[in-house]
Each structure stands twice: as C-alpha cells, then as structure tokens.
C-alpha cells in the first residue's frame, strides 16, 4: 500500500484526487493536512511514500498588496515543505505548478513546446516558477521531484472560468464564434495522471492535458446541448472581441489561444480516462444534481 500526504486540506485538486483513489481500494492510504498555521511543521512526514503539494493561492490577482503573500505562500512555503519532506525520508515530492508560468493566452495561436521559455506575466505565475526553481536543487536519487504544469483544470464543482461558461451556455441565446484553441484538463484525467506519477515514482517536468484542444464556443455549445438547449454561435461580435484582445483580461482568458504541443503530454500509460464530450456531460450532470 502506498502512503500519500496531501498538503492543502480544502484544495479542489487534493480532494478530487483523494476521491479518485477510492476507485483502487486497498492500494492507497491518503491523509491531508492544512498549512494555514505552523502546526504542520511538527507533523511526522516520515511515514509517507509521496507528498502531493497542492496548497497555495490559486487565483490570479494584480493587486500589488497581494504580491508578498503570493511569494510567501506559493514559493517559500513550497520550498519549506519540500525540504521537510526530504529531511524526513519521503521518497517523492509532487508539486502542482501551472501553465501560467508561460504567460496568458493571446489572440495569436500560442503553442508551448519543449523549447518554450517560461515568461510569467504576473506574480502568480512568477511565484510558481520560482517555487519550481527553488525545489529542483533538492532532488537526488533518494528524493524524486515531479513538477506538474497543468492547463486549466475543470470538472464537477470546479471554480474559475468553466462555471462562468456553463452559466452562459444555459442562459444566452447567442455566443461568439471565435476560432481559438485552449489546452484543458479534466479533473479525473489529472487524478489518474497523478496516480501514475506515484505508481511509477516519476521525477521531472510534466504537462498533462486532455486529448483534444478546446474551442471555447464549441465547449459552450456542448454544455448547452447537455441541458437540452440550442445556442447560436455567431461571428458578429468577433471584430469587437479582437479589438479588446490584449486590452481586457477576461477576453484573453475566454477567447485567447494557449496550448501545449500534444507531444509534450504523451505518457507511457493512458491517463485520459474521459473524452472532452464525456467530461462535459459528467460535469454538467453532477453540478446540477
């Protein structure tokens, strides 16, 4: 039985991963701890095979008053937890970073490949990148480090932009038909990927994503379809949206381009347990129970 410690007691990824592992009874023992106070520093890490570090500030803020907090939580805390894990004999440390280390989406097709240099556009992305750099030096033969840079994660009860798109699909008669591509990752596909990381004692940099790239308008159409609605995809708003691109953040988030080259996301075992359409159906049905 593999013993796993998840940092971040109320994290979406951590809770979903714990639930996913219940599909494999008797193979994993999971515990979660909060890092919100200093009590975790007295906790015994030595009994765990792997630490999955998902604690951190997940949303993007441009408020300069928040900058110090982002670096203290996303960078400094990550390094401290990794150092404790190594000292106490944990064999693997998995850090949940983000595609945001490459910057935001844009109106131009933005494909990230193995040669793309990270260029964070805000202190959220930079704090994640600095955390990555801070823990890399800790790795050795007895302490493996796996860094995960997922794209936008979605699924039942997820936060962020997906719920907003879902509401739009259920209420609007029209939606802009912009040609864009986004890499996305359903929470079940991510959870299976994390399981394989632990099973195989992996180390290195990883870029999991769904098999399919996502066109925002097509995702909205699929969501509407699940709810028995027909939404018209129109191009009449496209000139205005193109003008707003690069000027208004939400437009770039919803209609921008940001994808991983598919070769970056291949793995020796299949972790994509659901197709895009299956994930939309599952997410919408679960969220509307």
């Amino acid at each position: 039985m593999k013993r796993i410690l998840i940092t971040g007691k109320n994290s979406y990824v951590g809770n979903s991963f714990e639930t996913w592992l219940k599909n494999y009874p008797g193979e994993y023992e999971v515990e979660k701890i909060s890092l919100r106070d200093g009590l975790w520093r007295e906790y015994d890490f030595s009994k765990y095979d792997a630490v999955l570090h998902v604690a951190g500030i997940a949303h993007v803020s441009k408020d300069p008053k928040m900058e110090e907090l982002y670096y203290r939580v996303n960078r400094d805390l990550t390094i401290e937890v990794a150092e404790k894990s190594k000292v106490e004999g944990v064999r693997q440390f998995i850090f949940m970073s983000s595609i945001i280390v490459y910057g935001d989406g844009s109106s131009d097709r933005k494909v990230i490949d193995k040669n793309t240099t990270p260029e964070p556009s805000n202190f959220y992305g930079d704090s994640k990148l600095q955390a990555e750099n801070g823990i890399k030096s800790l790795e050795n033969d007895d302490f493996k480090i796996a860094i995960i840079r997922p794209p936008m994660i979605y699924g039942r009860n997820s936060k962020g932009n997906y719920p907003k798109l879902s509401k739009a699909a259920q209420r609007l008669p029209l939606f802009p038909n912009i040609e864009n591509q986004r890499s996305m990752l359903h929470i079940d596909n991510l959870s299976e990927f994390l399981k394989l990381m632990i099973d195989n004692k992996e180390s290195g940099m990883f870029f999991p994503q769904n098999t399919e790239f996502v066109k925002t308008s097509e995702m909205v159409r699929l969501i509407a379809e699940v709810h028995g609605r027909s939404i018209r995809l129109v191009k009449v708003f496209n000139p205005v949206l193109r003008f707003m691109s690069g000027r208004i953040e939400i437009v770039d988030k919803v209609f921008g381009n940001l994808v991983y080259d598919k070769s970056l996301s291949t793995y020796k075992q299949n972790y994509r347990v659901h197709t895009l359409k299956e994930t939309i159906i599952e997410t919408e049905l679960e969220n509307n129970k």
Side-chain angles (χ1 to χ4, degrees), residues 7-279:
T7 66
K9 222 168 188 179
N10 298 311
S11 80
Y12 177 64
V13 170
N15 289 345
S16 299
F17 182 52
E18 180 185 30
T19 300
W20 181 256
L21 290 181
K22 292 177 182 177
N23 293 318
Y24 305 90
E27 295 184 37
Y28 305 93
E29 180 183 311
V30 177
E31 290 188 41
K32 297 181 295 184
I33 58 169
S34 171
L35 304 185
R36 290 184 178 275
D37 55 39
L39 296 177
W40 67 271
R41 293 181 176 89
E42 307 302 319
Y43 197 78
D44 181 13
F45 281 24
S46 66
K47 56 186 175 180
Y48 299 104
D49 300 297
V51 169
L52 172 60
H53 182 64
V54 293
I57 306 175
H59 64 279
V60 176
S61 171
K62 292 187 176 180
D63 183 351
K65 295 178 182 178
M66 295 287 290
E67 185 169 358
E68 181 183 352
L69 179 63
Y70 270 71
Y71 285 105
R72 189 165 71 244
V73 173
N74 288 350
R75 179 193 61 195
D76 300 344
L77 191 60
T78 298
I79 295 170
E80 187 178 358
V81 173
E83 289 174 339
K84 177 176 171 64
S85 300
K86 181 178 181 178
V87 167
E88 297 191 11
V90 177
R91 301 304 297 269
Q92 184 187 37
F93 185 82
I94 302 173
F95 173 53
M96 192 63 59
S97 186
S98 171
I99 196 173
I100 203 70
V101 301
Y102 295 103
D104 297 321
S106 67
S107 57
D108 298 323
R109 189 164 186 264
K110 187 171 181 178
V111 181
I112 298 163
D113 61 26
K114 62 182 181 180
N115 298 315
T116 304
T117 302
E119 293 183 9
S121 56
N122 51 55
F123 47 77
Y124 169 61
D126 190 55
S127 67
K128 286 288 190 179
L129 185 60
Q130 289 195 28
E132 291 181 11
N133 294 333
I135 64 176
K136 284 177 183 176
S137 62
L138 299 174
E139 184 168 30
N140 58 30
D141 291 340
D142 297 319
F143 186 63
K144 296 182 180 297
I145 293 178
I147 295 171
I148 317 294
R149 289 178 178 171
M152 186 181 114
I153 299 165
Y154 69 102
R156 55 197 171 278
N157 302 317
S158 62
K159 299 178 181 179
N161 287 327
Y162 181 90
K164 297 174 184 175
L165 291 175
S166 179
K167 286 182 180 179
Q170 295 177 61
R171 297 175 182 176
L172 299 179
L174 309 173
F175 193 82
N177 188 7
I178 292 277
E179 293 294 330
N180 74 315
Q181 288 186 322
R182 306 287 300 207
S183 287
M184 294 180 66
L185 182 61
H186 185 259
I187 188 63
D188 288 352
N189 292 342
L190 172 59
S191 294
E192 179 65 12
F193 185 79
L194 291 172
K195 172 189 146 345
L196 293 174
M197 293 290 98
I198 293 170
D199 289 347
N200 299 325
K201 302 175 183 177
E202 290 284 9
S203 64
M205 192 79 68
F206 298 91
F207 312 85
Q209 65 177 327
N210 289 347
T211 303
E212 312 97 319
F213 292 147
V214 174
K215 177 181 174 182
T216 303
S217 59
E218 178 62 14
M219 172 172 270
V220 168
R221 187 193 67 77
L222 287 171
I223 294 171
E225 189 178 274
V226 173
H227 295 280
R229 298 188 72 244
S230 178
I231 189 167
R232 283 185 61 205
L233 304 180
V234 298
K235 296 187 176 182
V236 66
F237 305 112
N238 290 16
V240 175
L241 291 170
R242 289 194 188 98
F243 175 77
M244 295 166 67
S245 177
R247 296 176 173 87
I248 299 180
E249 185 178 5
I250 188 63
V251 173
D252 291 331
K253 283 186 175 181
V254 175
F255 297 107
N257 294 276
L258 187 63
V259 298
Y260 282 131
D261 184 285
K262 291 188 176 182
S263 65
L264 274 183
S265 303
T266 58
Y267 189 65
K268 59 189 176 185
Q269 291 168 266
N270 179 46
Y271 62 90
R272 290 133 167 178
V273 294
H274 300 305
T275 65
L276 175 63
K277 188 170 184 177
E278 289 170 349
T279 67

